[in-house]
Amino acid sequence: MSNIPKHIGVIMDGNGRWAKRRGLPRSAGHKAGADNLEKICDYCNSLGVKALTVYAFSTENWNRPKAEIDALMELLYNYLLTVEEKFRNRNMKLQISGDVTALSEKIQKAIVHAEEVTSSGDGMILNIALNYGGRAEIVNAARKSAEDVKSGKIRPEDIDEDYLGRYMYTSNLPEVDLIIRPSGEKRLSNFLLWQAAYAEFWYSDICWPDFGNDDMKQAILDYQNRDRRFGGV
Ligand code: FPP
């Protein structure tokens, strides 16, 4: 139980393949993925993980067929409606990271409500990356810093990593220690680009809906045996 990663990022990949192998529509894979997220949340919360960031919808996912986007949005909306009840006993807090202004008004309202009613939770923060892109996040931070220069709040030379970092969606969360990608792919796909600077990576061939507590345990045990030097010796 010692050296538990404070902040874990998960690319919930492989839902489509999971569904295809079972002759089910892709939306059934996403539903199974959302169900699995609940199980993994409970497990991470019980271990004392402070924050779990999950990639639910990227800025590139708008390129998917409309029916799949609609199904994903409906799934997210229904999930947001259940957060108040689900998170209460677990003492968990919800955070959404990404450009939510592109989402429907119905979803935006549900986000505000879900974040508000869970804001006093002092257990794990579930941070859902929604309409999120790592590059867009950095562009947004650069733009805000430029505005600060323009308004005379700071000088260009005042912009450093700490300054830019304060404009990242995750500025309130601990550094990302571990990034997990199931389903066999080995790339970041625009996830937590800024935050991944010194994160450890763990890959697995298992599709996300089948990624169980034992797999998470394996990833954490492996992480605990890494020698993290942060550029030192
Ligand atoms: C990638 O797998 C997964 C997504 C783009 C969506 C992930 C979303 C969920 C698991 C639902 C989240 C819901 C809540 C409630 C937070 P893929 O579809 O690209 O899989 P494939 O590579 O096998 O096709």
Side-chain angles (χ1 to χ4, degrees), residues 110-183:
I111 289 173
V112 171
H113 181 74
E115 285 186 332
E116 167 122 18
V117 293
T118 61
S119 61
S120 61
D122 58 5
M124 190 180 78
I125 297 176
L126 173 64
N127 178 35
I128 301 182
L130 192 50
N131 194 22
Y132 172 88
R135 287 185 173 179
E137 180 180 33
I138 294 169
V139 166
N140 181 52
R143 206 174 272 158
K144 285 188 167 147
S145 303
E147 279 164 11
D148 291 342
V149 171
K150 198 174 163 195
S151 68
K153 195 171 148 196
I154 52 155
R155 297 165 302 164
E157 54 269 38
D158 294 329
I159 299 174
D160 57 12
E161 291 182 16
D162 280 346
Y163 196 89
L164 216 53
R166 267 181 256 138
Y167 281 128
M168 301 297 160
Y169 294 117
T170 55
S171 61
N172 61 317
L173 305 178
E175 287 282 336
V176 175
D177 292 314
L178 174 64
I179 293 180
I180 295 173
R181 181 162 195 163
S183 95

Side-chain angles (χ1 to χ4, degrees), residues 12-17 26 30 33-34 37 55-56 61 64 72 75-76 79 128:
M12 302 186 289
D13 197 13
N15 299 336
R17 276 162 285 168
R26 291 178 60 81
H30 295 314
L37 174 60
Y55 209 4
N61 285 153
R64 295 193 174 207
L72 265 170
L75 189 59
L76 282 157
Y79 178 77
I128 301 182

Side-chain angles (χ1 to χ4, degrees), residues 24 47 57 61 70 72 74 76 87 118 120 122 126 129 142 144 148 165 198 205 216 222:
L24 298 168
L47 290 179
F57 195 88
N61 285 153
D70 289 348
L72 265 170
E74 200 54 25
L76 282 157
F87 281 31
T118 61
S120 61
D122 58 5
L126 173 64
K144 285 188 167 147
D148 291 342
Y198 281 103
D205 286 335
M216 181 54 87
D222 196 82

Side-chain angles (χ1 to χ4, degrees), residues 51-63:
L52 179 70
T53 295
V54 294
Y55 209 4
F57 195 88
S58 76
T59 45
E60 291 72 38
N61 285 153
W62 295 109
N63 296 325

